[in-house]
Amino acid sequence: MNEKYMDLAIKEAYKAYNKEDVPVGAVIISRDHVISKAHNTKNITNNATNHAEILAISKACKKLGTWRLNDCTMYVTLEPCPMCYGAIIESRIKKVVYIADSDYDKLHVYNSKNLKMEKITNSKYIEDLTNFFKNLRS
């Protein structure tokens, strides 16, 4: 795992946080090159599909001129939701590295044999994410 890519995803997450959006950031790499990066804009744009993962996939497809992201890895700060997971599978990304678990039922959602999921630890980001949701609900 290359920490510099996760650091970029965390920087993207803080862009969303500073705009009072859900602090999730995503970076897609291929052959040690950043292809795209994005952060959630769902609240800002009032568009339910503007998750960091979806936006990063769209940018990567446009940049590479293909919807097949076979040689790509996604670094994302929060485990993908079912919508994003579906887009990741459809785009054929080979690996997702994430920090924080989501609360989705993994038994029904995550069943692709072709996608590797790897969780890493970053306690500072998890603390900030937890505080974001606490403040949102108070």
Side-chain angles (χ1 to χ4, degrees):
M1 199 282 299
N2 195 325
E3 287 187 30
K4 75 178 179 180
Y5 299 127
M6 188 55 80
D7 287 344
L8 287 173
I10 290 169
K11 285 180 183 176
E12 286 294 314
Y14 284 114
K15 288 179 184 178
Y17 182 86
N18 290 332
K19 296 173 186 174
E20 298 183 359
D21 215 314
V22 181
V24 178
V27 173
I28 296 177
I29 63 152
S30 178
R31 298 184 181 106
D32 290 326
H33 290 88
V34 174
I35 303 302
S36 67
K37 53 188 178 176
H39 58 275
N40 273 9
T41 62
K42 179 171 90 169
N43 293 339
I44 298 165
T45 61
N46 290 316
N47 185 331
T49 64
N50 281 358
H51 290 203
E53 300 95 327
I54 300 290
L55 297 171
I57 289 169
S58 292
K59 289 178 181 180
C61 291
K62 184 175 181 178
K63 183 171 184 175
L64 296 176
T66 182
W67 61 268
R68 293 177 183 93
L69 304 178
N70 301 30
D71 295 324
C72 295
T73 297
M74 177 183 283
Y75 290 82
V76 62
T77 54
L78 181 64
E79 183 182 22
C81 72
M83 175 183 69
C84 293
Y85 186 80
I88 290 164
I89 296 298
E90 286 298 316
S91 68
R92 300 184 182 170
I93 288 173
K94 66 179 179 179
K95 184 177 181 180
V96 174
V97 181
Y98 67 98
I99 298 171
D101 286 322
S102 65
D103 58 358
Y104 295 105
D105 183 357
K106 294 169 189 65
L107 294 176
H108 295 96
V109 177
Y110 306 120
N111 59 7
S112 172
K113 294 176 184 173
N114 298 323
L115 177 65
K116 294 180 178 78
M117 299 287 287
E118 179 183 338
K119 182 179 176 188
I120 62 168
T121 303
N122 183 305
S123 56
K124 169 73 171 115
Y125 172 76
I126 290 175
E127 179 183 332
D128 288 345
L129 182 65
T130 302
N131 289 334
F132 174 84
F133 284 112
K134 279 182 188 175
N135 292 335
L136 188 66
R137 293 181 180 123
S138 61

